[in-house]
């Protein structure tokens, strides 16, 4: 499926910002199942410096510095992406989940070293006891990794409420488990803590989900949003099983992958530092993931 993705981030301030430094993860990754035919980031006011780089996880990162005084900063990212469904190795999915622990089984795969970091705690994914206990119900001894991960995904969907008011960007895994509510980023962090606390390597993935209007209703432009999901390591094939606990499904050709890391802190859409005397600011985000009708010559 081919999509045109537009992502607009607008900051407004009640006083001049003298200087603004930022990092943006807004350019989708080129992957075996995802082809990127165009991607750009435009910033207003025009930055004095804007540079693209690749971080340690292979994500494309845009660095910018706006030195002109401003009370409004707009970041527009546009990309065209074609996403294909992923075919997973059936043998790898059937392996016991215990094999997906690179710290316990470093010799199980030549690429185990690359997965090791994703089995460790990270700043936003602490291995709290409540997560270990919650995960244990899905991770029964010898259970196939594909089945265990899918069961955990089903349980998070059933046991947690999607509630934008329940958490903030500072909420912890323990907070979300206690409230049994949150948003996609929270559910991804909970799933990561459940898996990693048992030694399974899993990474946080940020991107977009193409939504579908109800039958007979027009698609609402700008109503989509950034999204987050999880990918668990399958050592038998060195694939990563990507699953979306918010929507209770394996990641499909409706999911556009932008970046991955240990947790949200590694790959926020935009982060930065400003120099200003402003006391108040507002943030508005508009995302649109529009299917592109492809035409072929006769």
């Amino acid at each position: 499926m081919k999509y045109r993705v537009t992502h607009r981030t607008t900051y407004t301030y009640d006083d001049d910002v003298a200087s603004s430094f930022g990092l943006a993860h807004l350019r989708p990754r080129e992957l075996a199942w995802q082809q990127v035919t165009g991607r750009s980031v435009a910033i207003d006011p025009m930055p004095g410096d804007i540079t693209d780089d690749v971080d340690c996880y292979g994500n494309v990162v845009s660095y910018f510095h706006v030195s002109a005084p401003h009370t409004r900063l707009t970041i527009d990212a546009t990309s065209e992406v074609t996403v294909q469904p992923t075919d997973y190795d059936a043998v790898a999915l059937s392996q016991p989940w215990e094999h997906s622990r690179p710290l316990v089984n470093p010799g199980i795969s030549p690429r185990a070293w690359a997965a090791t970091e994703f089995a460790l705690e990270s700043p936003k994914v602490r291995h709290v006891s409540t997560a270990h206990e919650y995960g244990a119900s899905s991770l029964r001894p010898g259970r196939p990794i594909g089945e265990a991960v899918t069961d955990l995904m089903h349980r998070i969907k059933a046991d947690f409420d999607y509630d934008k008011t329940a958490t903030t960007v500072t909420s912890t895994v323990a907070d979300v488990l206690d409230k049994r509510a949150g948003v996609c980023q929270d559910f991804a962090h909970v799933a990561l803590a459940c898996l990693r606390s048992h030694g399974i390597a899993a990474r946080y993935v940020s991107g977009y989900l193409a939504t579908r209007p109800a039958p007979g209703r027009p698609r609402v432009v700008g109503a989509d949003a950034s999204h987050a999901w999880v990918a668990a390591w399958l050592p038998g094939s060195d694939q990563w099983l990507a699953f979306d606990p918010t929507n209770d499904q394996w990641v499909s050709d409706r999911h556009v992958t932008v970046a991955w890391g240990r947790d949200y802190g590694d790959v926020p859409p935009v982060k930065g530092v400003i120099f200003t005397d402003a006391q108040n600011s507002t943030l508005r985000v508009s995302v649109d993931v529009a299917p592109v009708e492809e035409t072929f010559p006769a």
Side-chain angles (χ1 to χ4, degrees), residues 86-199:
T86 300
D87 290 324
Y88 291 104
D89 186 307
V91 174
L93 290 172
S94 68
Q95 295 299 305
W97 67 264
E98 291 91 344
H99 289 185
S100 295
R101 300 180 296 172
L103 293 168
V104 178
N105 303 303
I108 199 165
S109 167
R111 295 284 299 172
W113 64 270
T116 299
E117 182 176 9
F118 297 104
L120 301 172
E121 277 192 322
S122 61
K124 294 184 179 297
V125 180
R126 297 300 184 188
H127 297 178
V128 294
S129 59
T130 47
H132 187 272
E133 293 166 6
Y134 188 85
S137 295
S138 297
L139 299 170
R140 298 194 299 270
R143 194 176 196 182
I145 181 65
E147 182 182 311
V149 165
T150 302
D151 182 68
L152 176 65
M153 176 183 73
H154 291 334
R155 292 174 55 229
I156 291 175
K157 174 64 175 179
D159 295 343
F160 292 73
D161 294 325
Y162 188 90
D163 183 353
K164 293 181 179 180
T165 67
T167 57
T168 68
V169 293
T170 62
S171 295
T172 66
V173 168
D175 294 333
V176 180
L177 281 162
D178 180 59
K179 292 185 176 182
R180 287 292 200 272
V183 294
C184 60
Q185 147 188 334
D186 301 311
F187 303 152
H189 285 162
V190 167
L192 288 169
C194 291
L195 296 174
R196 290 181 187 167
S197 63
H198 287 269

Side-chain angles (χ1 to χ4, degrees), residues 46-65:
M46 179 72 72
D49 183 13
I50 181 167
T51 307
D52 284 343
D53 203 350
V54 177
D55 67 14
C56 63
Y57 301 117
N59 307 309
V60 179
V61 186
S62 300
Y63 159 84
F64 62 88
H65 175 207

